Amino acid sequence: MNTTEPTPTPAPAAPEPYDAIIIGGSYAGLSAALQLARARRRILVVDAGQRRNRFAVNSHGFLTRDGQPAADIAAEGRANVAAYPNVHWHDGTATAARRAGSSSGGSSTDGTDDEGFIVELDGAGTVRGARLVLATGVRDDLPQIEGLAERWGKSVFHCPYCHGYELNEGRIGVLASGPLSVHQAQMLPHWGQVTFFTNGVCPLDDAQRADLQARGVQVDDTPVRRLVNVATVVLEDGRQDIMTGLFTYGRVHMTSPIAEQLGCAFEQGPLGPFIRTDEGRQTTVPAVFAAGDAMRAASSVALSVADGAMAGIGAHRSLLFGVTPFAAPMMASAASPAPADAR
Ligand code: FAD
Ligand code: MG
């Protein structure tokens, strides 16, 4: 279906359950919603409107929309989904979710509760859904350097595939935030002339220094004071190093505690936890699916849209054929309990 006018149907107060509730209505959630909408399921999308990339104007690397405004891509996705009359929308936050108590006093044969899940909406009561898709994304906790936060997404980035090309092979700073930053410094030479600011948080051994040198990376161990102008690094000794752009890693955190509330298992990624899913994007909690940044160590618009499509199809197939248990991948790493910082 093709549309230009988004006319989302508000969440009705009807007591009957939705076939699926999608929490998070950005790239991953919208992509899941589209599959379920086209399968003629009655669905609700709940979205708080805080995309992770809202700090950047343009989005790169998503085929057919390369270099276009990130907000336009999301808005057009919403219009695509809202065009289906079986899609309902709630602008706001899902504050909590739990399995609905079974009125028959037991679980169905497929191991899920008969009555699905209850989701609490901010200021709008509760809704019920047979399946959940968690597409709530992550938030970035950035290194605490004066001048960095206001440059995030403009001249300070984390993903070279998203924003490296536009730096036109200019001078690129990599600001260390921990040991993993070596990896970022090793990658960036394909995008420009790299200076790696270790800033006291990324001590290098001789082998790492030799490796960086072989890649043409300059290492500067002087502490960083602040950022000024476009991406000029002001060092503690008073020097100013003019950069075209700067890369750094923040820690990532779940934006929502709902996966933890439901008992989903997490994986520990190098930058923070993400929800464990199987190939059908089902979490370790039957009938709960996840897509996008919330279930990947490193993600993008393209990967989120792909995950969302899989989660939407996975949720739909489980409506058709019954819930299957989480299918552990062949090479599974150990699932860990919910992280302490997922709140
Ligand atoms: P998000 O887009 O983060 O959306 C999650 C949605 O869920 C939000 O709308 C949020 O408000 C909502 N939500 C969360 N919790 C709740 C709740 N409890 N109730 C209701 N709603 C909720 N990727 C690229 O491919 N190209 C780029 O150029 C690019 N640039 C980037 C620039 C920056 C600065 C950053 C930080 C990231 C960039 N990315 C880019 C990565 C990209 O932003 C993410 O991969 C993508 O947004 C993930 O999509 P998502 O749908 O999983 O999550
Ligand atoms: Mg989403």
Side-chain angles (χ1 to χ4, degrees), residues 24-30 135:
S26 174
Y27 312 107
L30 287 167

Side-chain angles (χ1 to χ4, degrees), residues 22-30 46-56 58-62 70 90 92-96 135-138 140 152-154 156-159 161-163 255-258 291-294 298-305:
I22 294 140
I23 306 178
S26 174
Y27 312 107
L30 287 167
V46 184
D47 185 45
Q50 299 289 304
R51 278 177 295 107
R52 186 184 182 192
N53 63 357
R54 65 191 181 279
F55 305 97
N58 293 328
S59 164
H60 298 95
F62 182 37
H90 176 74
T93 302
T95 52
T136 44
V138 294
D140 296 278
W152 182 239
K154 297 169 184 69
V156 180
F157 312 101
H158 72 295
C159 168
Y161 299 101
C162 301
H163 299 283
T255 56
S256 161
I258 285 177
D293 281 11
S299 193
S300 69
V301 173
L303 292 173
S304 297
V305 168

Side-chain angles (χ1 to χ4, degrees), residues 33-46:
L34 187 59
Q35 304 303 323
L36 285 155
R38 293 187 50 73
R40 297 191 172 273
R41 294 310 88 201
R42 189 169 164 277
I43 62 173
L44 174 67
V45 183
V46 184

Side-chain angles (χ1 to χ4, degrees), residues 38-274:
R38 293 187 50 73
R40 297 191 172 273
R41 294 310 88 201
R42 189 169 164 277
I43 62 173
L44 174 67
V45 183
V46 184
D47 185 45
Q50 299 289 304
R51 278 177 295 107
R52 186 184 182 192
N53 63 357
R54 65 191 181 279
F55 305 97
V57 175
N58 293 328
S59 164
H60 298 95
F62 182 37
L63 198 64
T64 74
R65 308 305 303 267
D66 187 31
Q68 295 185 20
D72 290 1
I73 301 171
E76 197 171 321
R78 178 168 170 168
N80 288 165
V81 168
Y84 292 83
N86 43 323
V87 175
H88 299 264
W89 194 282
H90 176 74
D91 280 313
T93 302
T95 52
R98 63 182 183 277
R99 202 174 271 291
S102 171
S103 55
S104 57
S107 292
S108 61
T109 49
D110 58 21
T112 60
D113 193 286
D114 296 312
E115 300 191 26
F117 302 89
I118 306 265
V119 176
E120 290 178 24
L121 304 177
D122 54 338
T126 59
V127 284
R128 183 174 288 200
R131 302 289 180 270
L132 294 184
V133 178
L134 309 180
T136 44
V138 294
R139 77 179 151 75
D140 296 278
D141 273 0
L142 301 174
Q144 295 291 307
I145 299 282
E146 185 186 329
L148 190 147
E150 54 267 42
R151 289 171 177 77
W152 182 239
K154 297 169 184 69
S155 57
V156 180
F157 312 101
H158 72 295
C159 168
Y161 299 101
C162 301
H163 299 283
Y165 187 89
E166 281 62 39
L167 299 178
N168 289 317
E169 302 186 271
R171 297 199 68 218
I172 295 174
V174 173
L175 174 65
S177 59
L180 191 69
S181 297
V182 179
H183 179 64
Q184 207 171 27
Q186 288 169 326
M187 287 182 73
L188 262 305
H190 276 195
W191 284 273
Q193 308 145 48
V194 178
T195 303
F196 183 31
F197 299 97
T198 56
N199 202 28
V201 295
C202 188
L204 300 173
D205 61 27
D206 290 346
Q208 288 171 318
R209 283 187 193 274
D211 179 272
L212 289 166
Q213 191 177 16
R215 294 171 193 272
V217 176
Q218 283 191 20
V219 175
D220 196 326
D221 295 318
T222 315
V224 172
R225 269 273 167 75
R226 60 181 177 277
L227 305 182
V228 297
N229 302 328
V230 173
T232 295
V233 178
V234 181
L235 298 160
E236 201 171 81
D237 60 14
R239 279 182 297 131
Q240 299 205 357
D241 220 343
I242 300 170
M243 296 290 155
T244 316
L246 200 74
F247 283 78
T248 195
Y249 289 131
R251 294 289 300 171
V252 296
H253 302 269
M254 293 284 113
T255 56
S256 161
I258 285 177
E260 188 181 358
Q261 288 169 3
L262 290 166
C264 297
F266 287 78
E267 306 268 3
Q268 290 301 329
L271 300 174
F274 58 95

